[in-house]
Amino acid sequence: MRSILRLFLFATFVVVGSLAAVLGVDYGEQNIKAIVVSPQAPLELVLTPEAKRKEISGLSIKRLPGYEKSDPNAIERIYGSAIGSLATRFPQNTLLHLKPLLGKSLEDETTITLYLKQHPGLKMVSTNRSTIAFLIDNVEYPLEELVAMNIQEVSNRANSLLRDRDARTEDFVDKISLTIPDFFDQHQRKALLDASSVTAGIKETYLVSEGMSIAVDFVLKQRQFPPGELQHYIVYDMGSGSTKASMFSILQPEDITQPVVIEFEGYGYNPHLGGAKFTMDIGSLIESKFLETHPAIRTDEFHANPKTLAKISQVAEKAKLILSANSEATINIESLINDIDFRTTVTRKEFEEFISDSLLEIVKPINDALKKQFGGHQIKLSDINGVILAGGSSRVPLVQDQLIKLVSEERVLRNVNADESAVNGVVMRGIKLSNSFKTKPLNVLDRSVNTYSFKLSYESETYEAFGRGSIYPNETSILSATIDPIPNNFTIDLYENGKLFETVTVNSGAIKSSYSLEKCPSGVAYNITFGLSSDRLFSIQEISCICRSESDMDGSKQVKNKSSRLTFSSEDVEIKRLSSSERQRLHDHIQLLDKQDKERFQFQENLNVLESNLYDARNLLMDDEVVHNGPKSQLEELSEMVKVYLDWLEDASFDTDPEDIISRIREIGILKKKIELYMDSWKEPLDSQQFEGMLEEGHKLLQAIETHKNTVDQFLREFETEFAGTIDNVREEFEKTKLSAYVSNALSTWEETLTSFKNSMSEIEELLAKNIIGEDLRERLFEIKLKFDKYRTKLEEKLHLIKTSDESRLKEIKKLHLRKFRLQKRKEEKLKKKLEQELSKHRNETESIINESVGNEDSPLNDKTTELNSGSKEEILHDEL
Ligand SMILES: *[C@@H]1O[C@H](CO)[C@@H](O)[C@H](O)[C@H]1NC(C)=O
Ligand SMILES: *[C@@H]1O[C@H](CO)[C@@H](O)[C@H](O)[C@H]1NC(C)=O
Ligand SMILES: *[C@@H]1O[C@H](CO)[C@@H](O)[C@H](O)[C@H]1NC(C)=O
Ligand SMILES: *[C@@H]1O[C@H](CO)[C@@H](O)[C@H](O)[C@H]1NC(C)=O
Ligand SMILES: *[C@@H]1O[C@H](CO)[C@@H](O)[C@H](O)[C@H]1NC(C)=O
Ligand SMILES: *[C@@H]1O[C@H](CO)[C@@H](O)[C@H](O)[C@H]1NC(C)=O
Ligand SMILES: *[C@@H]1O[C@H](CO)[C@@H](O)[C@H](O)[C@H]1NC(C)=O
């Protein structure tokens, strides 16, 4: 399938893959933003249920009332803006800011202390993989599962967006492109990949650096760069939890048909500086103001109250936003602690003084990026064309002031949307990496900010496999020193920036005998192939053992070295990934919860519909006209039904069979409709005259059907004679002509409808014959009339469809005839031309004989002209077919 989608002004997409969608997700500490791309939705932002552009990162998990305490699945998950207020009421159930905990253990004191300070009241436990899990109402949730729930929720929303665009679509999100900070280590990257792999429907996940995402968006938005001029930019991204400065070189080659080159050159970061820290600082400021004015309350008492702290952080967040645009924020907290209401103001000046110690921290990432460059360009601060602001917290005035001081006002760039640049870029990278759609080509040189090294267990030295600045993806093979003799099984330790994270056990024991000293007198060496994947994972890809033959040593003779692939197994050190069985378990668990949610939602919907139908019915029963003139028995029936069902509704619970609710909705609806129809036709006479009139109309309709059949037959007979030369069996062709699914579906019940209509006519005939039309039978008479009307309408609709489709079938036959006719004509003409050519050849031969004897004569040019004309005629015929 190839179709063209037009996107932003700068990009044109061509679908190359099959039906599928790519979801770009900017998974932030505070917010999640997502964009989906599919043939139905070229780059569409996935809005929240409240139509917001970003969703809160996190969720609340609450027990459903009325269930067994021991049922771990009787929970309700709440996402989105509702979490905000739940965080203060149920801090022990609300999980926010989970991102920095990925791939961490409880041993990581800095991270855990900071987290618990922000989120007191949450219970964390260690899993048997040394990762973090949360204990909520005594149920343990591994962090990966909670993050997966978040991603799943976004993905579900993207899928329903695709269905909204096109109800028949089978497209669903199967690839996901996630932003990741470059400073994340191997365990953190693996944890995010695991969380994504637990998400239903996701077959592939790409991790894309946040900085690179923003740089890609910047280049696509900016569009034009001076050809041949190397430019340098720093993306300054201050999010909620961290601040990153990523330096890039951007080059539009002189040959402007060549793609723009984006090259990652340097990186600096602070994993704890960001909006959340500023919020906490303002919180501390409010707290100290409160404690000063309420000396009776002790600090530890204050800190031991999770609800109090949650309220403080809620108002601090609001105050921070106000202080971005105003010099003062008023704070009002009801019942902060011990039923004390608190009111105060915080000024921007106070805030700036409070954090004056961290002012230097604000620009440090930029200085680090310049200091620790890994590209080859040796960029100086004065070479920087601009600092691109990104991340919600880059709006804080104090932050901008510091940047302006560093690089001047003109070089602080606000060209990208600070909130959405990363998600715009990550989806474009995802499209490129998944190769699902064609995009504007960019030459992206992404580099690792880490150093990767390894150590063999039988040696003491550590060797580097990939240095800082290696380009993703990369592969390298390293030949070990010759060893003699071959050791038993050995291990290889893998390090990231000097930190051990994985141990690989190599099964060399099995080949020990075939690589013995007698067989390899010059010893053996290991050829180890390391990989640095585009998912930013460092791993061993292949290990082989090489037997060095003697003749090889002097290098004079090329002898093929014997080598064997060795098997090996890897194990994470300390923090471990999800096992495949656990991955399956989490996947199934989320699926189960999603299914329950859907059922519960549907159940509630159905209950609401039933309830409102019952109230509508009750209103109908109280209508004066209905009470006096309505159909007595049906009114009694409805009245009883309303009473019984309202009682039943009181006791309905989640155990109630949903089918039961639906059938009750249907029953009520049918009975109510009958009464309403009866009332509508109250003024109808329902006498013999009316029924005789109906019969007459019925006969007319049947007549019209006959007439149509005859007309078609007439045409077909004419065609049979006219088209005898081109179409063998006109009637067969007529039947064969395809109808649209909609039409053939509707017509499949033609005979049934016709019979039902005829039956209802017979019923009327019977009525009239028995002469039993009278007042007391009104309800039954009305039903007979309704039945007649219903089938008449249906039959008329179908007859209309038959007429139009028969017309188009007849047209098709005519077209078929014309096509075949032209084909015959063309064949004849070809034949004729061939004949003429042979004739002229014959003439040439004759002429040349004559010329030889007679000499030159003027030739007529007519032949050539004729040929040209007949040639172009043939082309036109081709096009018509
Ligand atoms: C770790 O715990 C999970 C359940 O949380 C269990 O499925 C798994 O088998 C355990 N693994 C080990 C090595 O104990
Ligand atoms: C790939 O890795 C090798 C080995 O570390 C290194 O020499 C090379 O420069 C890397 N390639 C790129 C493109 O970074
Ligand atoms: C090497 O490891 C393999 C698999 O782990 C094991 O079966 C074998 O016994 C080990 N051999 C030696 C000599 O330790
Ligand atoms: C080492 O292994 C790699 C990957 O299989 C291969 O390309 C390379 O030629 C090998 N090197 C030697 C010296 O055998
Ligand atoms: C055999 O291995 C040695 C290194 O041990 C290498 O120098 C030599 O080129 C290899 N020979 C062949 C034919 O690959
Ligand atoms: C006849 O001769 C003319 C001119 O010599 C030539 O262009 C033409 O192709 C010839 N026709 C055939 C059928 O050989
Ligand atoms: C014969 O001569 C006429 C007149 O000169 C010329 O047009 C024609 O092409 C010649 N035919 C051949 C076969 O040479």
Side-chain angles (χ1 to χ4, degrees), residues 477 479 527 529 542 544 546:
S477 292
L479 202 61
N527 177 13
T529 304
E542 193 185 312
S544 51
I546 299 174

Side-chain angles (χ1 to χ4, degrees), residues 488-490 505-510 512 567 569:
N488 278 328
N489 293 353
F490 67 101
T505 304
V506 187
N507 304 320
S508 56
K512 208 177 168 215
T567 60
S569 58

